[in-house]
Amino acid sequence: MVRVLLLDPDSDALARRAAEIGESAESLAGGVRLAEARLRELADSCDIQVHRYRMLPTWRLIRTDSTMFVSAFDAGWGGHESATYKVMETPHGPLFRGFRRMFDAVIDGAQRTV
């Protein structure tokens, strides 16, 4: 299964994020809606869930089984411009567990759209 979290294009957080990166809220919202539409097209061929969340993004997470790739969002740059760190699941490692817990909590409070 693939689970994707997208910033809600109608949220105040999106408008704030757009201002942080010098983009119009309309343009950023359009990009989110396009991404959601493309992901919806995959629903017939794979097990995918897409959720909209309404909080200011802090982390960009990509998880494959027991490995995560993590970068940060901040004012002035996007997650794709941030250094990316590889975080492995280990028996006593807190980072993997913390990021997994945070991702699950965001999904619990998000609205599923696909």
Side-chain angles (χ1 to χ4, degrees):
M1 174 190 350
V2 175
R3 294 185 299 171
V4 178
L5 286 167
L6 296 174
L7 185 56
D8 189 324
D10 299 316
S11 69
D12 292 339
L14 182 126
R16 181 173 168 193
R17 181 64 189 142
E20 286 181 346
I21 59 174
E23 187 171 339
S24 73
E26 181 181 6
S27 177
L28 184 56
V32 171
R33 287 186 179 98
L34 177 61
E36 185 174 45
R38 295 292 183 216
L39 291 166
R40 184 172 285 110
E41 292 171 3
L42 295 174
D44 291 335
S45 59
C46 70
D47 187 9
I48 188 166
Q49 294 180 5
V50 179
H51 302 260
R52 288 183 178 184
Y53 69 98
R54 301 182 63 81
M55 58 188 268
L56 190 66
T58 303
W59 300 105
R60 174 178 283 194
L61 301 172
I62 300 170
R63 178 178 169 199
T64 60
D65 299 323
S66 61
T67 304
M68 283 190 200
F69 299 91
V70 181
S71 61
F73 293 101
D74 198 9
W77 85 74
H80 65 282
E81 297 172 313
S82 178
T84 301
Y85 299 91
K86 183 177 181 179
V87 179
M88 305 287 293
E89 183 175 26
T90 60
H92 303 289
L95 288 178
F96 184 91
R97 291 170 188 226
F99 283 123
R100 180 183 60 203
R101 181 179 173 136
M102 183 203 64
F103 184 88
D104 290 342
V106 173
I107 281 190
D108 287 345
Q111 174 191 11
R112 184 171 176 188
T113 58
V114 176

